[in-house]
Amino acid sequence: MRRHSKKNVLAVVLLVGVLYFLNFLIAGRIISHEPIPNELTFQGERLVSKESWVERGDYLPLNVTYQVLAGAPSPQQSLKRNYNDAPERVLFRSKQNLDYSFLIHYSAGLGKYYLQLEDDVSSAKNFLSTIRKRVEEQEAKKTTWAMLEFSVLGYIGKLYKSAHLPLLARFLFLFYQEMPCDWLMSRFRDLLTQKEPIIFKPSLFQHMGTYSSFQGTYNKLKDKNFEEGLYSNPSAEVYSDMSTYKKHFPKLAWDAGEGFFWGRSPENGTYLTAVFTEPTVVMGIFVETGSEGKDLLESAQVEIGHDVITTEKGEKSCKEFQSVGTLGNGRFEKLEMDKLYSFSSSCLRIKVTAGQKEWVIIKKIRISTKPSTIPHQTKE
């Protein structure tokens, strides 16, 4: 009986060994010869050429159930209470991240760029052509970028390259319960080696809703840099010989936002001059002074100039100026200027033509431009 049992044990051991060896051979053949389905792999070539993802429609799948897609996570899963948020708040922002993830995943490959908006925003005039221009300028710099911002608010007006969308969708899906989407997008930008935000002003989109999607709470969120008009000032240095009140510096009249220049009683001949970084053809000019009918600039002319020089004060200015009009009731606006002044300009100056006792607020100076293709002409 003992000998018989030993033979049985030996037979079992041999059988197990043979099965293990056969299993190893079979597994080896499968691994060696049968390709792994695309949806389960992260092929190395994708890391080299992300553009090919969009061309082939070969995206990283989210591999989720319809229940999750419909907003019903597994009942066994708890939401993670970061930042001491209430459970209801955590649930809301987590669901929002999942919604964005599915939307972005679906949108990959539909175009070259992706713009994230909401349904309760208004847009500036010609926003699409402005975005196109800004993207072309950014691409010409040959620097790395992952996200361009056309609004400072939350997840409004954010532009991505479509080649990055599969990564962004996956990123939001993996970390959906960690933090709100507008915080996650900053981390994503950092991971794609864009260390600083690239924000364009004035903003092109304004939040119009007054109630939050979360529990219907009142929401007064507004973008202070939003301007509905056509104007988009080029980079410039701004100077003035008017006495400045506190920190209401001349540059604030040129920059987008709620800032403004506030000067004490201007004298005849005093000025505010913007000197462009690059010569440009000016198409339109808009100047607004005063606030609620007070502190208007009563008498002044608007001028454009060329040939940048350095003055005795160490300021930049232009060698020659010519008037394009005068202020009326504290305002000035002129369009289609390129039909009369097709040459490139380097300066815009507001020159006081009569002194006044009242102080003056120059609230906005806005110009629209087009690329300069014609050299400047001197005034005869």
Side-chain angles (χ1 to χ4, degrees):
M1 291 296 291
R2 291 180 180 177
R3 290 181 182 178
H4 182 69
S5 62
K6 287 181 178 180
K7 289 180 180 180
N8 289 341
V9 171
L10 180 60
V12 171
V13 171
L14 289 174
L15 179 59
V16 171
V18 170
L19 291 175
Y20 179 82
F21 182 71
L22 288 174
N23 184 61
F24 177 80
L25 288 178
I26 293 171
R29 290 186 63 187
I30 292 174
I31 293 172
S32 300
H33 300 288
E34 295 187 10
I36 300 175
N38 285 338
E39 63 269 17
L40 298 180
T41 65
F42 197 130
Q43 298 174 4
E45 64 179 0
R46 292 175 173 170
L47 296 176
V48 177
S49 178
K50 291 189 282 291
E51 294 293 339
S52 63
W53 302 8
V54 178
E55 294 170 3
R56 296 197 309 260
D58 185 17
Y59 310 130
L60 290 175
L62 296 178
N63 294 331
V64 295
T65 65
Y66 288 108
Q67 286 80 4
V68 174
L69 181 62
S74 171
Q76 287 79 23
Q77 188 175 20
S78 59
L79 296 168
K80 193 173 179 181
R81 289 191 61 191
N82 290 344
Y83 314 109
N84 201 32
D85 280 347
E88 295 80 10
R89 175 64 183 173
V90 175
L91 180 62
F92 170 79
R93 60 176 172 82
S94 298
K95 176 60 168 58
Q96 189 177 50
N97 285 334
L98 291 175
D99 290 342
Y100 284 138
S101 176
F102 293 126
L103 173 63
I104 291 169
H105 186 262
Y106 173 81
S107 301
L110 298 181
K112 189 175 181 181
Y113 300 100
Y114 172 88
L115 180 66
Q116 175 67 41
L117 292 175
E118 292 185 0
D119 60 354
D120 59 347
V121 299
S122 64
S123 60
K125 296 178 181 178
N126 295 341
F127 74 92
L128 191 58
S129 58
T130 301
I131 290 176
R132 185 181 293 113
K133 178 183 177 182
R134 295 301 191 186
V135 170
E136 290 173 354
E137 292 172 350
Q138 195 64 38
E139 294 286 10
K141 294 179 181 179
K142 305 296 183 182
T143 56
T144 299
W145 68 271
M147 181 176 69
L148 305 182
E149 302 185 45
F150 295 94
S151 172
V152 298
L153 300 180
Y155 218 5
I156 297 174
K158 314 307 180 192
L159 185 86
Y160 298 93
K161 299 176 182 179
S162 288
H164 293 161
L165 294 186
L167 288 177
L168 178 58
R170 195 70 169 178
F171 182 79
L172 290 173
F173 183 74
L174 288 174
F175 301 104
Y176 72 93
Q177 63 175 343
E178 298 300 328
M179 59 186 69
C181 57
D182 48 338
W183 293 10
L184 282 174
M185 70 180 183
S186 299
R187 270 65 175 184
F188 180 78
R189 184 198 70 214
D190 291 340
L191 290 172
L192 267 64
T193 69
Q194 180 189 326
K195 297 304 180 183
E196 298 294 333
I198 303 174
I199 304 174
F200 295 101
K201 296 180 181 180
S203 298
L204 298 180
F205 304 99
Q206 179 65 282
H207 182 255
M208 300 301 294
T210 54
Y211 289 92
S212 171
S213 301
F214 176 59
Q215 296 183 345
T217 55
Y218 181 73
N219 185 355
K220 60 180 180 180
L221 194 63
K222 295 294 180 184
D223 190 333
K224 295 181 179 180
N225 296 315
F226 175 75
E227 293 185 9
E228 191 175 1
L230 304 173
Y231 303 92
S232 182
N233 290 359
S235 176
E237 297 178 61
V238 184
Y239 306 92
S240 179
D241 61 350
M242 302 182 210
S243 177
T244 302
Y245 176 65
K246 292 187 176 180
K247 295 183 179 181
H248 297 279
F249 302 117
K251 188 70 160 55
L252 296 176
W254 185 260
D255 293 339
E258 294 187 329
F260 53 87
F261 168 65
W262 200 354
R264 297 179 175 89
S265 308
E267 299 177 358
N268 182 26
T270 54
Y271 59 85
L272 183 147
T273 304
V275 183
F276 312 149
T277 301
E278 298 289 340
T280 184
V281 176
V282 178
M283 299 177 63
I285 300 175
F286 173 72
V287 178
E288 181 181 359
T289 72
S291 176
E292 298 181 353
K294 298 180 180 180
D295 294 335
L296 296 173
L297 181 54
E298 297 172 356
S299 181
Q301 65 183 19
V302 179
E303 305 170 331
I304 55 176
H306 55 79
D307 293 339
V308 176
I309 60 172
T310 301
T311 68
E312 294 179 356
K313 297 179 181 179
E315 299 178 351
K316 290 181 181 179
S317 186
C318 276
K319 185 177 181 180
E320 294 188 18
F321 287 91
Q322 66 184 102
S323 175
V324 295
T326 59
L327 271 68
N329 195 28
R331 291 170 60 93
F332 175 85
E333 185 169 21
K334 192 167 188 176
L335 302 176
E336 299 182 340
M337 290 181 53
D338 53 312
K339 295 180 179 179
L340 296 175
Y341 312 97
S342 59
F343 55 87
S344 59
S345 302
S346 294
C347 296
L348 182 144
R349 182 169 71 179
I350 300 173
K351 187 175 181 180
V352 178
T353 53
Q356 62 184 61
K357 294 182 179 179
E358 293 78 13
W359 289 14
V360 61
I361 288 176
I362 302 182
K363 191 174 183 180
K364 290 182 181 179
I365 305 172
R366 301 290 181 261
I367 71 171
S368 57
T369 66
K370 68 178 181 179
S372 175
T373 56
I374 304 174
H376 70 261
Q377 300 174 355
T378 58
K379 182 180 178 183
E380 295 183 357

